[in-house]
Amino acid sequence: MSSDLDVFVGNTTLIDEEVYRLWLDGHSVAEAVARRLRGGVLEREGTSVAVLQSDTRDHYRTFQMLERLLHAPPRLLQQLLFQIPPERQALLVQRYYAFDEALARELLGKKLSKGTKKELDEVSARTGVGIRSCRRQFDNFKRVFKAVEELRGPLAENIQQLFLLPPALARDYAAIVFSGIWGLWERFWGFLGCPDPPFSSRDYAAIVFFANSRFETGKRRLQFLSFGDFAACAQSMMAHWSQGALAPEAADPDGDLPKSFLQDLKELKVLVSDKDLLDQHKSLVCSALRGKISVYNELEANFKALSRALVNVGGKLTHARDVRDFFVDLVEKVIEPCRSDKWSPGDLRLFLTHYTAAPRNLPGFRHQALWERYMAAISACLLRMYHD
Amino acid sequence: MPGKLKVKIVAGRHLPVMDRASDLTDAFVEVKFGNTTFKTDVYPKSLNPQWNSEWFKFEVDDEELQDEPLQITVLDHDTYSANDAIGKVYIDIDPLLYSEAATVISGWFPIYDTIHGIRGEINVVVKVDLFNDLNRFRQSSCGVKFFCTTSIPKCYRAVVIHGFVEELVVNEDPEYQWIDRIRTPRASNEARQRLISLMSGELQRKIGLKVLEMRGNAVVGYLQCFDLEGESGLVVRAIGTACTLDKLSNTSAFLPACNSPSKEMKESPLVHAPSHGCRSTHNSPIHTATGSRLTQNFSVSVPTLIYTGMGSGSAGKEGGPFKTLLRQQTQSALEQREFPFFTLTTFPPGFLLHVGGVVSARSVKLLDRIHNPDEPETRDAWWAEIRQEIKSHAKALGCHAVVGYSESTSICEEVCILSASGTAAVLNPRFLQDGTMEGCLEQRIEEASPPGCGFCHIPYDELNMPFPAHLTYCYNCRKQKVPDVLFTTIDLPVEAIVVGKGCLIQARLCRLKKKAQAEANATSISNLLPFMEYEVHTQLMNKLKLRGMNALFGLRIQITVGENMLMGLASATGVYLAALPTPGGIQIAGKTPNDGTYEQHISHMQKKINDTIAKNKELYEINPPELPEEIIGSPIPEPRQRSRLLRSQSESSDEVTELDLSHGKKDAFVLEIDDTDAMEDVHSLLTDVPPPSGFYSCNTEIMPGINNWTPEIQMFTAVRVSRLSNINPTNQTLNKNFNDLCENLLKSLYFKLRSMVPCCLCHVNFTVALPEDELVQIAVTAVAITYDKNQALQANKAPTEKSQQRASTDNEEQLQFPLELSSDPLSSQPFSPAKEALEGASSHTGIPAAQRDRCNSWIELIKLKAQTIRRGSIKTTTSLEKASPLAEGYLRHRSVPSGTNSTVSVVKMTPLSFLPGAKITKYLGIINMFFIRETTSLREEGGVSGFLHAFIAEVFAMVRAHVAALGGNAVVSYIMKQCVFMENPNKNQAQCLINVSGDAVIFVRESELEALPVPAPTAQPAGSAGDVTT
């Protein structure tokens, strides 16, 4: 006697967290049943395998029906089909959009294209994340990116509102989007080829450009950086550099857009191109750090190289091709030299503090505010990235 | 021209993409009522259109208002081709037609398409301006309230319960009309949905007319069903109980107590007019069944009765004169009634005097095309016959009324089994006629039999019993006779004294039948029916005894007919009634006593049975109080003194001696095992697995023995279709398959709901259908309610040895349970002897101090109440409940509109008539919805399971949306009356019809009520017992 049809529908939709997890991980019904069996549910509840199968199938069907709504979480709140208590809804969304960091790290620097999706098999094998789960997470990234791509306002808040994610998770997504891991949009592809991108008058263009410029993250020398490192860097860049661009309503309309910010960064070159300024800067920093830092000699020897690297990274940000080298440059020209000279993180912190503060006392340097805003993010990134 | 219907289309959201090119939709809306149609403008290129239309006004008759549904169709405008329909919304505007219910329907409704399901939502506002019309020849019955609830709704008081109303209308089924061959499935489905909506409206209006003729103002226990007779047509029939209800309004709270019932009755013409059960002639169901080729009118006459008792008892003269008197009084009220039937299952305290037993009748009919839909004489006659039969069965039991009455059909091809069943009962005439309250009150005092056991006392004449029965003196009051087993279709009366907990008991049965045509088929079915009934009852009896219980409530026997078999499924809730004798065990007797191994086997089985009984007794906490000798030996003072029964001292001492004689006699139930069949039966008895720990289940409103519900509820519907794959099925294998199917389904429910433990599945309602040759479909709707285990334990620790006291405490506790009360318990039972007995017992008799402490709070509370009652005069106690400052305060509190959040409001659904931990403050109207869903891409929608899962979820969603639009937050007495599923996997097609109903209500959490300042305890009404139960 086989059951052809077997459904259970509650007025309040039953959500079994364990089964949801199994479904999210991409297990088939049979696999899920096997796993639940291993979990010892039979012994606990004294039931039969048939019951477990029927229960699992019911949940899977529910999740499949819910998935459509999960793609646009605000619809989950408004829909009438499933009556789900708010805290359960939140759980559904959060778990659905949660991602494996290992996977995110793998995908950093790759296009969210069909080609990448086809490579997910390998990614799955490398990371141990199930292939179906990989595809779902990949689609999530793609969906979030697409949804906020053309929106004004702070990225993280937009994502939070559009996908009803908790702030921390929304910030992670924002970081991913921001760090421009994926250039999906053909119409922006053109920018990447342009030496000097034609910024549109629309405010968001700069940030979309920035996002699409795809920081290089896949290079071998960047392998030691985790997804968390990149996310943190992206977050500090957003925090310090983009408040104007990301919240244009809040800013003066003609004011501080990243477009102008990035353009303005070129002005900072004076710090390294003007020999006087460079020397004065060096002496100010060195005098402040003498005796306080264990690697004083190395600092003195390398100051000019370091300063050049730090300033030039910013100067290159307006060029799409160079933007992608942002992290590579930081690692190659700052982190690696310091590491070989055995700077401690404390040394680096102290140096950056004084290095940032010193120009205040430089006569004839007029970009103090810009400089500090720029350095705040750079310092945060460096400190985050300065590990083994 | 008594009404103006106004409709406004506000907006839509989440519409489907209708234009692939632009990924958008150009939506507009058609609003249709009767033959008038309005259209909104096209809102171009949007999935979230904002129409903000003007008010569309329809000027219509109230007759039309009652019959017609409002039809809203959302379409996609197409310049070049025909406009595509997106979906429809049908809105029943009936709730707007009576003043006390909803005033406006406003909210988001799912847009439903019979092929695609829900496709977005539409925001609609509907209002009705009704003009008063005093035309006495009117055909409408606006203003009559309908309730699915089978008890007096919580915020009403029954002034008069008039009795049975029924009606049926027939029509051709659009699915079977010639035009169906050329129209699309969608058009055909919509025609059907619309027709059924129209027919239910008409039916409700006609029933309403009958109620008005009876001078009633409401129908309670309204049950409407569809018979899809296929070729021969579509029948919509309904039964209900006409009542005159009085709203327990909070405004009358501070009126002088003496004004209420009697005065109102004098003022109100409704109540004073003669309430003879009149019916309009043209509607009379008595027609001669002419021209129909009805053959094989078979009906089974009450095999139940055989089991209402066994053995013999001595004649008791004490009840005689009293009963005769009573019968005379009630008969006068009931005899004029054609059918003294009541669809109620729960009654106001004091309404139900005695219960006789289950009466049922079935009849097999051959369906014939209904030639003239305007004269549904044949179907009417069929039902009239069955009802007559039921009536005569009840008479045979010495009862003048039938309560918990219901009717059902099972159709397979052209054969139809009509079934009716109910519980024969003797009722208190107080509610049935328009006597003055004073008279009634006198009478009631005289009648007052001890609460908690009165309904068990036999109504029939002991010298002239309609069937062999084993009578004993009531174990509670020791004054009147009771049968040893009681079967009923009603809910457990609140005042009943129960030992331990109850449990769901099911009898399951399959019988093979040869495939046959027409009359031969009908004959073979009618021949099988009595055997099935007999076996179902044997199974029930055995299972009841196996659980050590002695009464069944909520008994529902469903016999389903299929192509090649009949299936019987009986569900009931078993309990141990303290008033009835302890059931004897089950003894197995073998036919071949000489065979040694056989003997061994028998004894082994006997042992197993005994073990099961013992285990069950423990599980359900059935430890009936052993009656101490002194109680039996000495006259029992309290009840006799206080319940002023018409009897003398000497008579009662006679009884006591008689009682001693009958006491030791406990007949064991003997099962003879004479062949393998019987062996199988015994085996199957033992296969029923008790629910896992933490679970209880019942099919009644409340679980006997649990009274501390917590507010968490989960209503659900589960459907299973299984293939009986045996090539050569026998009755045994079929039985086993069927049994396994039901048991597995229950098991699966327990597993699904394991997170709610401790909880109880209430109102478990199984429906069996045989859609095809080897397919069995079982649908279950029930509600899981959590309860507080700790409190339950405490309640169980209540002293059992002091049976008298415990009984009253129990009684009191149950009376305290506020949701089970249709009206204030104290007001209607002001002189309940139990309370006084308890008071007396606690203050005078020797209860150990510790025990008294434990009961202290209870006793104090009861004392308090007793004082409250004494303070009021006898005549006015009924209005006491209204003198509630709490209610007044609450009213003020409620005036703050409940939150209008942007998120979807939660709507609870339950098959029960109440919500635990909540108080229903308003009934908004009946919900009665019929949906068809069809697919031609079954595989793509996830197969049959995916298809039905989505459809049931959609039905729930639409019910919730309608309730929310009425301003409600719950549906009570929800029932899925029909779920007809058909599939054709080869064509990748499936179709399903679902019919649901319930009462839309507004409830308020008791915790919210408690937050209000609690008034001085003396002024506190007994009804608001939230502070006691929690």
Side-chain angles (χ1 to χ4, degrees), chain A residues 18-220:
Chain A
E18 188 199 357
V19 184
Y20 190 48
R21 160 70 42 222
L22 292 168
W23 178 74
L24 287 176
D25 287 348
H27 297 290
S28 68
V29 173
E31 286 163 2
V33 170
R35 278 176 183 255
R36 294 181 82 186
L37 280 174
R38 259 177 274 152
V41 74
L42 275 198
E43 293 75 36
R44 270 201 313 279
E45 304 295 333
T47 186
S48 68
V49 179
V51 166
L52 207 58
Q53 272 169 345
S54 131
D55 180 64
T56 310
R57 265 189 230 112
D58 260 326
H59 284 301
Y60 266 55
R61 263 198 311 275
T62 309
F63 298 143
Q64 273 150 21
M65 283 189 260
L66 277 169
E67 190 162 24
R68 195 172 46 89
L69 298 164
L70 283 166
H71 289 167
R75 276 199 65 180
L76 188 66
L77 293 194
Q78 288 187 332
Q79 55 86 29
L80 305 175
L81 192 56
F82 298 100
Q83 186 158 278
I84 305 171
E87 68 281 359
R88 286 266 142 182
Q89 284 181 345
L91 178 122
L92 284 174
V93 173
Q94 278 172 38
R95 295 264 172 94
Y96 191 79
Y97 282 92
F99 55 83
D100 290 294
E101 295 213 344
L103 177 75
R105 180 66 187 86
E106 282 282 338
L107 292 177
L108 280 178
K110 287 187 178 138
K111 273 195 296 173
L112 261 190
S113 62
K114 280 194 180 125
T116 311
K117 198 168 180 178
K118 274 178 196 146
E119 290 164 24
L120 283 177
D121 285 339
E122 296 162 31
V123 175
S124 162
R126 270 203 299 278
T127 55
V129 179
I131 179 65
R132 269 182 271 192
S133 181
C134 281
R135 290 202 189 111
R136 182 179 54 80
Q137 295 183 39
F138 179 87
D139 289 340
N140 282 350
F141 290 137
K142 205 165 153 178
R143 195 176 311 116
V144 171
F145 200 6
K146 207 169 177 177
V148 296
E149 168 199 5
E150 294 192 12
L151 286 183
R152 299 158 153 244
L155 260 185
E157 273 174 43
N158 280 341
I159 293 172
Q160 214 175 316
Q161 271 168 24
L162 281 174
F163 292 92
L164 308 173
L165 300 178
L169 188 55
R171 272 200 300 276
D172 272 351
Y173 268 97
I176 295 166
V177 173
F178 182 82
S179 33
I181 305 159
W182 306 291
L184 265 187
W185 297 274
E186 278 71 60
R187 56 199 167 110
F188 288 109
W189 265 104
F191 296 174
L192 296 171
C194 294
D196 199 1
F199 284 114
S200 84
S201 58
R202 288 148 89 188
D203 300 335
Y204 60 80
I207 198 63
V208 172
F209 155 73
F210 198 62
N212 280 285
S213 55
R214 297 209 294 140
F215 292 121
E216 180 62 74
T217 57
K219 287 248 170 86
R220 180 177 293 267

Side-chain angles (χ1 to χ4, degrees), chain A residues 201-248:
Chain A
S201 58
R202 288 148 89 188
D203 300 335
Y204 60 80
I207 198 63
V208 172
F209 155 73
F210 198 62
N212 280 285
S213 55
R214 297 209 294 140
F215 292 121
E216 180 62 74
T217 57
K219 287 248 170 86
R220 180 177 293 267
R221 54 175 17 125
L222 297 184
Q223 285 302 318
F224 73 100
L225 294 172
S226 72
F227 167 77
D229 294 334
F230 283 113
C233 291
Q235 277 168 21
S236 39
M237 282 191 269
M238 274 189 285
H240 297 292
W241 293 354
S242 64
Q243 66 260 49
L246 293 172

Side-chain angles (χ1 to χ4, degrees), chain B residues 430-605:
Chain B
R430 174 165 74 102
F431 291 92
L432 303 171
Q433 60 194 12
D434 48 321
T436 54
M437 272 328 248
E438 292 97 297
C440 286
L441 207 66
E442 280 313 309
Q443 208 176 327
R444 200 173 55 225
I445 291 163
E446 285 165 15
E447 284 160 17
S449 50
C453 65
F455 71 94
C456 307
H457 300 161
I458 52 159
Y460 33 84
D461 191 353
E462 286 159 73
L463 292 170
N464 190 13
M465 275 197 296
F467 51 86
H470 183 168
L471 302 179
T472 46
Y473 276 101
C474 173
Y475 274 53
N476 188 47
C477 66
R478 319 231 140 245
K479 296 223 160 53
Q480 307 218 27
K481 294 288 174 74
V482 292
D484 60 349
V485 177
L486 188 64
F487 283 16
T488 74
T489 58
I490 55 170
D491 268 332
L492 187 70
V494 273
E495 64 269 23
I497 304 164
V498 172
V499 176
K501 297 197 164 59
C503 76
L504 179 73
I505 293 179
Q506 285 193 322
R508 301 148 188 154
L509 190 67
C510 288
R511 278 285 167 273
L512 284 168
K513 163 184 92 65
K514 282 205 186 73
K515 277 195 188 179
Q517 291 299 309
E519 293 176 24
N521 195 15
T523 316
S524 67
I525 292 170
S526 357
N527 290 341
L528 275 172
L529 277 180
F531 295 100
M532 291 194 70
E533 294 251 13
Y534 179 82
E535 248 179 86
V536 162
H537 282 90
T538 314
Q539 261 192 48
L540 282 176
M541 195 60 134
N542 288 342
K543 289 189 176 179
L544 185 68
K545 288 197 179 284
L546 209 57
R547 284 168 178 79
M549 298 176 181
N550 58 18
L552 285 181
F553 286 89
L555 176 65
R556 189 166 160 265
I557 303 174
Q558 202 194 347
I559 301 228
T560 312
V561 56
E563 288 270 279
N564 56 353
M565 62 177 143
L566 286 172
M567 285 204 152
L569 179 69
S571 306
T573 302
V575 292
Y576 185 104
L577 283 178
L580 302 191
T582 313
I586 299 178
Q587 247 157 42
I588 300 180
K591 267 276 154 119
T592 46
N594 298 330
D595 191 341
T597 53
Y598 186 72
E599 198 86 308
Q600 209 178 353
H601 183 67
I602 294 282
S603 69
H604 176 68
M605 230 140 80

Side-chain angles (χ1 to χ4, degrees), chain A residues 1-14 16 18 36 41 45-48 50-52 54-59 61-62 65 74-75 77-83 86, chain B residues 13-14 108 110 118 121 714-725 737 741 748-749 751-752 754 775 904 906-909 944-946 948-950 952-954 956-957 960 981:
Chain A
M1 182 133 129
S2 57
S3 283
D4 295 7
L5 185 160
D6 178 6
V7 296
F8 174 100
V9 189
N11 182 38
T12 306
T13 306
L14 284 182
D16 185 305
E18 188 199 357
R36 294 181 82 186
V41 74
E45 304 295 333
T47 186
S48 68
V51 166
L52 207 58
S54 131
D55 180 64
T56 310
R57 265 189 230 112
D58 260 326
H59 284 301
R61 263 198 311 275
T62 309
M65 283 189 260
R75 276 199 65 180
L77 293 194
Q78 288 187 332
Q79 55 86 29
L80 305 175
L81 192 56
F82 298 100
Q83 186 158 278
Chain B
R13 65 182 184 196
H14 310 319
W108 289 98
I118 291 178
E121 289 126 35
Q714 167 70 289
M715 190 282 296
F716 60 85
T717 293
V719 181
R720 267 191 196 187
V721 176
S722 279
R723 195 168 289 280
L724 304 166
S725 47
N737 282 342
L741 183 60
S748 149
L749 297 181
F751 180 72
K752 287 235 173 250
R754 65 194 184 282
L775 292 184
V904 180
V906 173
V907 175
K908 300 231 175 201
M909 288 167 77
V944 283
S945 295
L948 194 63
H949 192 139
I952 294 175
E954 283 169 348
F956 285 0
R960 287 194 301 257
F981 178 77

